[in-house]
Amino acid sequence: MDGRGVNAAGVRSVARFAARDDGRGGTALPVLESDGPLALRRTRATGAGARVMLVGAMSGPLGGDHFTVRGRVGHGARLSVGSAAATIALPGQSKGEARYDVRLDVADHAELHWLPEQLISAQGSDLYVTTRVELAATARLVLREEQVLGRAGERPGRLTSRLAVRVAGRLVLDQELACGPGAPGGWDGPAVLAGHRAVGQLVVVRPEFAIEPVEGAMLGPTAALMPLAGPAALVTAVAPDALKLRRLLDEALALLG
């Protein structure tokens, strides 16, 4: 916790997963635990990796709720994690802020694709999201975040999102974005969202980037590719809607190979 209060009346939900090399060229899931509104389900995968879906069993997060996801990908394992549908932050009977915390740990020679569906900030909601990723020196990561401000025809709630990534103990990315009512001024101005309703980022970490760093480039008028101070690259994009945002990020991932 960082001093931001969580209403005691809200729902607490924790989901945990762990992946490991099964010794036969595949990936096992010795831990797949969840409760309350969060449910983890193993689904069919191709190749040596495993695939898990995060399913929302209830609406939320609502005001005062605190959801947590903790995951570890062990040495040599390969895992892809997605979600069955968009997550919608909603106002609840409790007026407190909702929390959604994600903690991911990826070991040497392991690979994680963290590809959830969009997070939608509905009018009247107040959500603080944190995602922290710890990677070993030879770990690989593809992480996508997409946030949509308001459903069709409505104003957004307040949404604060922080993303931090470390590689071999070295911080390569730590950024926070706050949008909606009560956020610092300028979030909707030309230097940030410029009136767009969808914002997203793609983080790609690969050991070979330490030898051949990615070159920064504009990927059209509303997306940019930037090398990070480590074997990593960041794509940031804004778009008028979720569909166009996903297209921008998919094109960026294809460009990175």
Side-chain angles (χ1 to χ4, degrees), residues 114-171:
W114 181 260
L115 303 170
E117 293 300 310
Q118 297 89 358
L119 171 61
I120 301 172
S121 174
Q123 186 171 4
S125 64
D126 186 358
L127 177 63
Y128 186 69
V129 183
T130 62
T131 302
R132 292 188 171 92
V133 189
E134 295 279 348
L135 298 117
T138 58
R140 294 173 176 268
L141 174 72
V142 176
L143 180 148
R144 183 184 68 212
E145 284 192 344
E146 298 169 310
Q147 294 152 358
V148 180
L149 305 180
R151 293 169 293 189
E154 74 172 8
R155 296 176 58 82
R158 179 173 180 178
L159 175 62
T160 305
S161 175
R162 183 173 182 179
L163 172 61
V165 179
R166 291 180 181 270
V167 180
R170 180 185 183 188
L171 187 67

Short mmCIF file of all heavy atoms in Angstrom, two decimals, residues 114-171:
data_model
loop_
_atom_site.label_atom_id
_atom_site.label_comp_id
_atom_site.label_asym_id
_atom_site.label_seq_id
_atom_site.Cartn_x
_atom_site.Cartn_y
_atom_site.Cartn_z
N TRP A 114 1.66 -10.96 -21.48
CA TRP A 114 0.56 -10.46 -20.63
C TRP A 114 -0.31 -9.58 -21.52
O TRP A 114 0.03 -8.45 -21.83
CB TRP A 114 1.13 -9.67 -19.45
CG TRP A 114 0.10 -9.13 -18.52
CD1 TRP A 114 -0.37 -7.85 -18.49
CD2 TRP A 114 -0.60 -9.84 -17.49
NE1 TRP A 114 -1.32 -7.71 -17.50
CE2 TRP A 114 -1.47 -8.92 -16.87
CE3 TRP A 114 -0.55 -11.16 -17.04
CZ2 TRP A 114 -2.30 -9.30 -15.82
CZ3 TRP A 114 -1.39 -11.52 -15.98
CH2 TRP A 114 -2.25 -10.60 -15.38
N LEU A 115 -1.47 -10.12 -21.93
CA LEU A 115 -2.28 -9.49 -22.97
C LEU A 115 -3.76 -9.44 -22.56
O LEU A 115 -4.63 -10.03 -23.21
CB LEU A 115 -2.14 -10.26 -24.29
CG LEU A 115 -0.71 -10.40 -24.83
CD1 LEU A 115 -0.69 -11.39 -26.00
CD2 LEU A 115 -0.16 -9.05 -25.25
N PRO A 116 -4.09 -8.72 -21.50
CA PRO A 116 -5.50 -8.61 -21.11
C PRO A 116 -6.28 -7.74 -22.09
O PRO A 116 -5.70 -6.96 -22.86
CB PRO A 116 -5.42 -7.96 -19.73
CG PRO A 116 -4.16 -7.14 -19.79
CD PRO A 116 -3.20 -7.93 -20.63
N GLU A 117 -7.59 -7.86 -22.02
CA GLU A 117 -8.45 -6.97 -22.80
C GLU A 117 -8.48 -5.58 -22.15
O GLU A 117 -7.88 -5.35 -21.11
CB GLU A 117 -9.86 -7.56 -22.88
CG GLU A 117 -9.93 -8.85 -23.68
CD GLU A 117 -9.47 -8.67 -25.12
OE1 GLU A 117 -9.95 -7.73 -25.79
OE2 GLU A 117 -8.60 -9.45 -25.56
N GLN A 118 -9.22 -4.69 -22.76
CA GLN A 118 -9.20 -3.28 -22.33
C GLN A 118 -9.75 -3.10 -20.92
O GLN A 118 -10.59 -3.87 -20.44
CB GLN A 118 -10.04 -2.43 -23.28
CG GLN A 118 -9.55 -2.37 -24.70
CD GLN A 118 -10.11 -3.47 -25.56
OE1 GLN A 118 -10.85 -4.33 -25.10
NE2 GLN A 118 -9.76 -3.46 -26.84
N LEU A 119 -9.27 -2.06 -20.27
CA LEU A 119 -9.82 -1.58 -19.01
C LEU A 119 -10.64 -0.33 -19.32
O LEU A 119 -10.11 0.64 -19.87
CB LEU A 119 -8.70 -1.25 -18.03
CG LEU A 119 -9.10 -0.54 -16.74
CD1 LEU A 119 -10.07 -1.39 -15.94
CD2 LEU A 119 -7.88 -0.19 -15.91
N ILE A 120 -11.92 -0.37 -18.99
CA ILE A 120 -12.83 0.73 -19.30
C ILE A 120 -13.18 1.48 -18.01
O ILE A 120 -13.63 0.86 -17.03
CB ILE A 120 -14.11 0.21 -19.98
CG1 ILE A 120 -13.76 -0.53 -21.27
CG2 ILE A 120 -15.08 1.36 -20.26
CD1 ILE A 120 -14.93 -1.25 -21.91
N SER A 121 -12.97 2.76 -18.01
CA SER A 121 -13.26 3.61 -16.86
C SER A 121 -14.64 4.23 -17.03
O SER A 121 -14.80 5.20 -17.77
CB SER A 121 -12.19 4.69 -16.73
OG SER A 121 -12.50 5.59 -15.70
N ALA A 122 -15.64 3.67 -16.35
CA ALA A 122 -17.01 4.16 -16.48
C ALA A 122 -17.22 5.42 -15.65
O ALA A 122 -16.52 5.66 -14.66
CB ALA A 122 -18.00 3.08 -16.04
N GLN A 123 -18.18 6.21 -16.05
CA GLN A 123 -18.46 7.46 -15.35
C GLN A 123 -18.76 7.20 -13.87
O GLN A 123 -19.51 6.29 -13.52
CB GLN A 123 -19.65 8.17 -15.99
CG GLN A 123 -19.93 9.55 -15.42
CD GLN A 123 -20.98 10.29 -16.23
OE1 GLN A 123 -21.55 9.76 -17.17
NE2 GLN A 123 -21.23 11.54 -15.87
N GLY A 124 -18.14 8.00 -13.00
CA GLY A 124 -18.38 7.88 -11.57
C GLY A 124 -17.45 6.92 -10.86
O GLY A 124 -17.44 6.85 -9.63
N SER A 125 -16.64 6.16 -11.60
CA SER A 125 -15.72 5.20 -10.98
C SER A 125 -14.44 5.90 -10.55
O SER A 125 -14.13 7.01 -10.99
CB SER A 125 -15.40 4.05 -11.94
OG SER A 125 -14.71 4.53 -13.09
N ASP A 126 -13.67 5.21 -9.70
CA ASP A 126 -12.38 5.73 -9.22
C ASP A 126 -11.47 4.53 -9.01
O ASP A 126 -11.64 3.78 -8.04
CB ASP A 126 -12.57 6.51 -7.92
CG ASP A 126 -11.28 7.20 -7.46
OD1 ASP A 126 -10.24 7.03 -8.14
OD2 ASP A 126 -11.31 7.88 -6.42
N LEU A 127 -10.52 4.32 -9.91
CA LEU A 127 -9.70 3.12 -9.89
C LEU A 127 -8.23 3.49 -9.97
O LEU A 127 -7.82 4.33 -10.78
CB LEU A 127 -10.05 2.21 -11.06
CG LEU A 127 -9.22 0.92 -11.21
CD1 LEU A 127 -9.42 0.01 -10.00
CD2 LEU A 127 -9.59 0.20 -12.50
N TYR A 128 -7.43 2.82 -9.12
CA TYR A 128 -5.98 2.97 -9.15
C TYR A 128 -5.38 1.60 -9.48
O TYR A 128 -5.57 0.63 -8.74
CB TYR A 128 -5.48 3.46 -7.79
CG TYR A 128 -3.99 3.78 -7.76
CD1 TYR A 128 -3.49 4.86 -8.47
CD2 TYR A 128 -3.10 3.02 -7.02
CE1 TYR A 128 -2.14 5.18 -8.45
CE2 TYR A 128 -1.75 3.33 -6.98
CZ TYR A 128 -1.27 4.41 -7.69
OH TYR A 128 0.06 4.72 -7.68
N VAL A 129 -4.69 1.53 -10.61
CA VAL A 129 -4.12 0.28 -11.11
C VAL A 129 -2.60 0.35 -11.02
O VAL A 129 -1.99 1.35 -11.43
CB VAL A 129 -4.51 0.04 -12.59
CG1 VAL A 129 -3.98 -1.29 -13.08
CG2 VAL A 129 -6.01 0.10 -12.76
N THR A 130 -1.98 -0.70 -10.51
CA THR A 130 -0.53 -0.78 -10.52
C THR A 130 -0.12 -2.12 -11.13
O THR A 130 -0.69 -3.16 -10.81
CB THR A 130 0.08 -0.67 -9.11
OG1 THR A 130 -0.38 -1.76 -8.30
CG2 THR A 130 -0.28 0.64 -8.47
N THR A 131 0.87 -2.07 -12.00
CA THR A 131 1.44 -3.28 -12.59
C THR A 131 2.95 -3.21 -12.40
O THR A 131 3.59 -2.26 -12.86
CB THR A 131 1.12 -3.38 -14.08
OG1 THR A 131 -0.30 -3.37 -14.26
CG2 THR A 131 1.68 -4.67 -14.68
N ARG A 132 3.50 -4.21 -11.72
CA ARG A 132 4.94 -4.27 -11.49
C ARG A 132 5.47 -5.60 -12.00
O ARG A 132 4.93 -6.66 -11.64
CB ARG A 132 5.26 -4.08 -10.00
CG ARG A 132 4.97 -2.68 -9.49
CD ARG A 132 5.50 -2.49 -8.06
NE ARG A 132 5.40 -1.10 -7.65
CZ ARG A 132 4.36 -0.57 -7.02
NH1 ARG A 132 3.32 -1.34 -6.74
NH2 ARG A 132 4.35 0.70 -6.67
N VAL A 133 6.51 -5.53 -12.82
CA VAL A 133 7.08 -6.72 -13.43
C VAL A 133 8.56 -6.80 -13.09
O VAL A 133 9.29 -5.82 -13.27
CB VAL A 133 6.91 -6.72 -14.96
CG1 VAL A 133 7.31 -8.07 -15.55
CG2 VAL A 133 5.47 -6.38 -15.34
N GLU A 134 8.99 -7.96 -12.60
CA GLU A 134 10.40 -8.22 -12.32
C GLU A 134 10.87 -9.31 -13.28
O GLU A 134 10.33 -10.42 -13.28
CB GLU A 134 10.59 -8.69 -10.87
CG GLU A 134 10.23 -7.65 -9.82
CD GLU A 134 11.34 -6.64 -9.59
OE1 GLU A 134 12.47 -6.88 -10.09
OE2 GLU A 134 11.09 -5.63 -8.91
N LEU A 135 11.89 -8.99 -14.08
CA LEU A 135 12.41 -9.95 -15.05
C LEU A 135 13.88 -10.26 -14.77
O LEU A 135 14.65 -9.35 -14.44
CB LEU A 135 12.28 -9.40 -16.48
CG LEU A 135 10.85 -9.13 -16.96
CD1 LEU A 135 10.68 -7.65 -17.23
CD2 LEU A 135 10.54 -9.93 -18.19
N ALA A 136 14.25 -11.53 -14.94
CA ALA A 136 15.66 -11.89 -14.88
C ALA A 136 16.34 -11.42 -16.16
O ALA A 136 15.70 -10.99 -17.13
CB ALA A 136 15.79 -13.41 -14.73
N ALA A 137 17.68 -11.52 -16.18
CA ALA A 137 18.45 -10.93 -17.28
C ALA A 137 18.10 -11.51 -18.64
O ALA A 137 18.13 -10.80 -19.64
CB ALA A 137 19.95 -11.11 -17.00
N THR A 138 17.76 -12.81 -18.72
CA THR A 138 17.47 -13.44 -20.01
C THR A 138 15.98 -13.72 -20.20
O THR A 138 15.60 -14.49 -21.08
CB THR A 138 18.26 -14.76 -20.16
OG1 THR A 138 17.90 -15.64 -19.07
CG2 THR A 138 19.75 -14.49 -20.14
N ALA A 139 15.13 -13.10 -19.39
CA ALA A 139 13.68 -13.27 -19.52
C ALA A 139 13.15 -12.47 -20.71
O ALA A 139 13.77 -11.50 -21.15
CB ALA A 139 12.99 -12.84 -18.24
N ARG A 140 11.99 -12.89 -21.18
CA ARG A 140 11.31 -12.20 -22.29
C ARG A 140 9.90 -11.81 -21.85
O ARG A 140 9.24 -12.54 -21.11
CB ARG A 140 11.23 -13.10 -23.52
CG ARG A 140 12.58 -13.43 -24.12
CD ARG A 140 12.46 -14.47 -25.24
NE ARG A 140 13.76 -14.70 -25.87
CZ ARG A 140 14.21 -14.05 -26.92
NH1 ARG A 140 13.43 -13.13 -27.50
NH2 ARG A 140 15.40 -14.29 -27.43
N LEU A 141 9.46 -10.66 -22.37
CA LEU A 141 8.15 -10.14 -21.99
C LEU A 141 7.50 -9.44 -23.16
O LEU A 141 8.14 -8.69 -23.89
CB LEU A 141 8.30 -9.14 -20.83
CG LEU A 141 7.04 -8.38 -20.40
CD1 LEU A 141 6.08 -9.30 -19.66
CD2 LEU A 141 7.40 -7.18 -19.53
N VAL A 142 6.20 -9.69 -23.32
CA VAL A 142 5.33 -8.85 -24.16
C VAL A 142 4.16 -8.46 -23.26
O VAL A 142 3.40 -9.32 -22.81
CB VAL A 142 4.84 -9.58 -25.42
CG1 VAL A 142 3.85 -8.69 -26.18
CG2 VAL A 142 5.99 -9.98 -26.31
N LEU A 143 4.04 -7.19 -22.98
CA LEU A 143 2.99 -6.70 -22.09
C LEU A 143 2.20 -5.61 -22.78
O LEU A 143 2.78 -4.66 -23.31
CB LEU A 143 3.60 -6.17 -20.79
CG LEU A 143 2.65 -5.62 -19.73
CD1 LEU A 143 3.21 -5.88 -18.33
CD2 LEU A 143 2.38 -4.13 -19.90
N ARG A 144 0.88 -5.75 -22.78
CA ARG A 144 0.01 -4.76 -23.41
C ARG A 144 -0.97 -4.22 -22.37
O ARG A 144 -1.58 -4.99 -21.63
CB ARG A 144 -0.77 -5.41 -24.55
CG ARG A 144 -1.68 -4.43 -25.33
CD ARG A 144 -2.49 -5.18 -26.38
NE ARG A 144 -3.47 -6.07 -25.76
CZ ARG A 144 -3.86 -7.22 -26.29
NH1 ARG A 144 -3.36 -7.65 -27.43
NH2 ARG A 144 -4.76 -7.97 -25.67
N GLU A 145 -1.11 -2.91 -22.34
CA GLU A 145 -2.13 -2.26 -21.52
C GLU A 145 -2.97 -1.36 -22.42
O GLU A 145 -2.43 -0.60 -23.22
CB GLU A 145 -1.49 -1.40 -20.43
CG GLU A 145 -0.94 -2.17 -19.25
CD GLU A 145 -0.59 -1.26 -18.08
OE1 GLU A 145 -0.49 -0.03 -18.28
OE2 GLU A 145 -0.43 -1.78 -16.98
N GLU A 146 -4.28 -1.44 -22.25
CA GLU A 146 -5.20 -0.59 -23.02
C GLU A 146 -6.25 -0.04 -22.08
O GLU A 146 -6.88 -0.81 -21.34
CB GLU A 146 -5.87 -1.40 -24.13
CG GLU A 146 -4.90 -1.98 -25.15
CD GLU A 146 -5.57 -2.98 -26.07
OE1 GLU A 146 -6.26 -3.89 -25.56
OE2 GLU A 146 -5.41 -2.86 -27.29
N GLN A 147 -6.46 1.26 -22.13
CA GLN A 147 -7.43 1.90 -21.25
C GLN A 147 -8.36 2.77 -22.08
O GLN A 147 -7.92 3.52 -22.96
CB GLN A 147 -6.70 2.72 -20.19
CG GLN A 147 -5.88 1.85 -19.25
CD GLN A 147 -4.69 2.53 -18.65
OE1 GLN A 147 -4.41 3.69 -18.94
NE2 GLN A 147 -3.96 1.81 -17.82
N VAL A 148 -9.66 2.64 -21.79
CA VAL A 148 -10.69 3.38 -22.52
C VAL A 148 -11.42 4.27 -21.53
O VAL A 148 -11.90 3.80 -20.48
CB VAL A 148 -11.66 2.42 -23.22
CG1 VAL A 148 -12.73 3.21 -23.98
CG2 VAL A 148 -10.90 1.49 -24.17
N LEU A 149 -11.52 5.54 -21.85
CA LEU A 149 -12.11 6.52 -20.94
C LEU A 149 -13.59 6.68 -21.22
O LEU A 149 -14.00 7.42 -22.12
CB LEU A 149 -11.38 7.85 -21.07
CG LEU A 149 -9.85 7.78 -20.85
CD1 LEU A 149 -9.23 9.15 -20.98
CD2 LEU A 149 -9.53 7.16 -19.51
N GLY A 150 -14.39 5.97 -20.46
CA GLY A 150 -15.84 6.05 -20.59
C GLY A 150 -16.40 5.07 -21.59
O GLY A 150 -15.75 4.73 -22.58
N ARG A 151 -17.60 4.61 -21.32
CA ARG A 151 -18.33 3.82 -22.30
C ARG A 151 -18.93 4.76 -23.34
O ARG A 151 -18.79 5.97 -23.25
CB ARG A 151 -19.41 2.99 -21.60
CG ARG A 151 -18.84 1.92 -20.68
CD ARG A 151 -19.88 1.29 -19.78
NE ARG A 151 -20.40 2.24 -18.81
CZ ARG A 151 -21.20 1.91 -17.80
NH1 ARG A 151 -21.56 0.65 -17.63
NH2 ARG A 151 -21.64 2.82 -16.96
N ALA A 152 -19.60 4.20 -24.34
CA ALA A 152 -20.14 5.02 -25.42
C ALA A 152 -21.08 6.09 -24.87
O ALA A 152 -22.02 5.79 -24.13
CB ALA A 152 -20.89 4.14 -26.42
N GLY A 153 -20.80 7.34 -25.20
CA GLY A 153 -21.68 8.43 -24.84
C GLY A 153 -21.60 8.91 -23.41
O GLY A 153 -22.47 9.68 -22.98
N GLU A 154 -20.57 8.47 -22.63
CA GLU A 154 -20.48 8.93 -21.26
C GLU A 154 -19.10 9.48 -20.97
O GLU A 154 -18.12 9.19 -21.65
CB GLU A 154 -20.80 7.81 -20.27
CG GLU A 154 -19.72 6.77 -20.13
CD GLU A 154 -20.00 5.77 -19.01
OE1 GLU A 154 -21.10 5.79 -18.43
OE2 GLU A 154 -19.10 4.94 -18.73
N ARG A 155 -19.01 10.28 -19.91
CA ARG A 155 -17.73 10.80 -19.46
C ARG A 155 -16.98 9.72 -18.69
O ARG A 155 -17.60 8.81 -18.14
CB ARG A 155 -17.95 12.03 -18.58
CG ARG A 155 -18.58 13.20 -19.31
CD ARG A 155 -18.85 14.35 -18.35
NE ARG A 155 -17.63 14.79 -17.67
CZ ARG A 155 -16.75 15.63 -18.20
NH1 ARG A 155 -16.96 16.11 -19.42
NH2 ARG A 155 -15.68 16.00 -17.52
N PRO A 156 -15.67 9.82 -18.61
CA PRO A 156 -14.92 8.80 -17.88
C PRO A 156 -14.98 9.01 -16.37
O PRO A 156 -15.32 10.09 -15.88
CB PRO A 156 -13.49 9.00 -18.39
CG PRO A 156 -13.42 10.46 -18.70
CD PRO A 156 -14.78 10.81 -19.24
N GLY A 157 -14.65 7.95 -15.65
CA GLY A 157 -14.37 8.09 -14.23
C GLY A 157 -12.93 8.53 -14.05
O GLY A 157 -12.23 8.87 -15.00
N ARG A 158 -12.48 8.48 -12.80
CA ARG A 158 -11.07 8.78 -12.54
C ARG A 158 -10.28 7.48 -12.63
O ARG A 158 -10.64 6.48 -12.01
CB ARG A 158 -10.88 9.42 -11.17
CG ARG A 158 -9.39 9.72 -10.90
CD ARG A 158 -9.16 10.48 -9.63
NE ARG A 158 -7.73 10.73 -9.44
CZ ARG A 158 -7.22 11.43 -8.43
NH1 ARG A 158 -8.04 11.93 -7.51
NH2 ARG A 158 -5.93 11.61 -8.32
N LEU A 159 -9.20 7.51 -13.40
CA LEU A 159 -8.36 6.34 -13.59
C LEU A 159 -6.90 6.73 -13.45
O LEU A 159 -6.42 7.62 -14.16
CB LEU A 159 -8.60 5.73 -14.98
CG LEU A 159 -7.71 4.54 -15.37
CD1 LEU A 159 -7.92 3.38 -14.43
CD2 LEU A 159 -7.99 4.13 -16.82
N THR A 160 -6.20 6.07 -12.54
CA THR A 160 -4.77 6.27 -12.37
C THR A 160 -4.08 4.94 -12.59
O THR A 160 -4.47 3.93 -12.01
CB THR A 160 -4.43 6.80 -10.96
OG1 THR A 160 -5.19 7.98 -10.72
CG2 THR A 160 -2.95 7.10 -10.84
N SER A 161 -3.09 4.94 -13.45
CA SER A 161 -2.41 3.70 -13.82
C SER A 161 -0.91 3.89 -13.70
O SER A 161 -0.34 4.82 -14.27
CB SER A 161 -2.78 3.29 -15.25
OG SER A 161 -2.05 2.16 -15.65
N ARG A 162 -0.26 2.97 -12.98
CA ARG A 162 1.20 3.00 -12.85
C ARG A 162 1.78 1.68 -13.32
O ARG A 162 1.31 0.61 -12.95
CB ARG A 162 1.61 3.26 -11.40
CG ARG A 162 3.14 3.37 -11.24
CD ARG A 162 3.52 3.79 -9.85
NE ARG A 162 4.97 3.93 -9.71
CZ ARG A 162 5.58 4.30 -8.60
NH1 ARG A 162 4.86 4.57 -7.51
NH2 ARG A 162 6.90 4.40 -8.56
N LEU A 163 2.83 1.76 -14.13
CA LEU A 163 3.52 0.58 -14.67
C LEU A 163 5.00 0.69 -14.39
O LEU A 163 5.62 1.71 -14.72
CB LEU A 163 3.28 0.48 -16.18
CG LEU A 163 4.08 -0.59 -16.95
CD1 LEU A 163 3.75 -1.98 -16.43
CD2 LEU A 163 3.80 -0.48 -18.45
N ALA A 164 5.57 -0.34 -13.78
CA ALA A 164 7.00 -0.38 -13.49
C ALA A 164 7.57 -1.72 -13.95
O ALA A 164 6.98 -2.77 -13.66
CB ALA A 164 7.27 -0.17 -12.00
N VAL A 165 8.70 -1.68 -14.65
CA VAL A 165 9.35 -2.89 -15.15
C VAL A 165 10.83 -2.85 -14.77
O VAL A 165 11.51 -1.84 -15.00
CB VAL A 165 9.22 -3.00 -16.69
CG1 VAL A 165 9.94 -4.24 -17.21
CG2 VAL A 165 7.75 -3.01 -17.11
N ARG A 166 11.31 -3.95 -14.18
CA ARG A 166 12.72 -4.09 -13.85
C ARG A 166 13.30 -5.30 -14.58
O ARG A 166 12.64 -6.33 -14.67
CB ARG A 166 12.91 -4.28 -12.33
CG ARG A 166 12.58 -3.05 -11.52
CD ARG A 166 12.80 -3.32 -10.02
NE ARG A 166 12.46 -2.16 -9.21
CZ ARG A 166 13.31 -1.20 -8.88
NH1 ARG A 166 14.59 -1.29 -9.28
NH2 ARG A 166 12.94 -0.17 -8.16
N VAL A 167 14.52 -5.14 -15.06
CA VAL A 167 15.24 -6.23 -15.71
C VAL A 167 16.54 -6.43 -14.96
O VAL A 167 17.35 -5.49 -14.84
CB VAL A 167 15.51 -5.93 -17.19
CG1 VAL A 167 16.26 -7.09 -17.84
CG2 VAL A 167 14.21 -5.67 -17.94
N ALA A 168 16.74 -7.64 -14.41
CA ALA A 168 17.94 -7.96 -13.62
C ALA A 168 18.13 -6.94 -12.50
O ALA A 168 19.25 -6.50 -12.22
CB ALA A 168 19.17 -8.03 -14.52
N GLY A 169 17.04 -6.54 -11.88
CA GLY A 169 17.09 -5.59 -10.78
C GLY A 169 17.18 -4.13 -11.19
O GLY A 169 17.09 -3.25 -10.34
N ARG A 170 17.33 -3.86 -12.47
CA ARG A 170 17.47 -2.48 -12.96
C ARG A 170 16.12 -1.95 -13.45
O ARG A 170 15.45 -2.60 -14.26
CB ARG A 170 18.48 -2.44 -14.10
CG ARG A 170 18.70 -1.05 -14.68
CD ARG A 170 19.61 -1.12 -15.89
NE ARG A 170 19.90 0.21 -16.44
CZ ARG A 170 20.54 0.42 -17.57
NH1 ARG A 170 21.00 -0.61 -18.27
NH2 ARG A 170 20.75 1.65 -18.00
N LEU A 171 15.75 -0.80 -12.96
CA LEU A 171 14.49 -0.19 -13.37
C LEU A 171 14.62 0.35 -14.80
O LEU A 171 15.47 1.21 -15.06
CB LEU A 171 14.12 0.94 -12.42
CG LEU A 171 12.75 1.58 -12.61
CD1 LEU A 171 11.64 0.58 -12.29
CD2 LEU A 171 12.61 2.82 -11.73
#
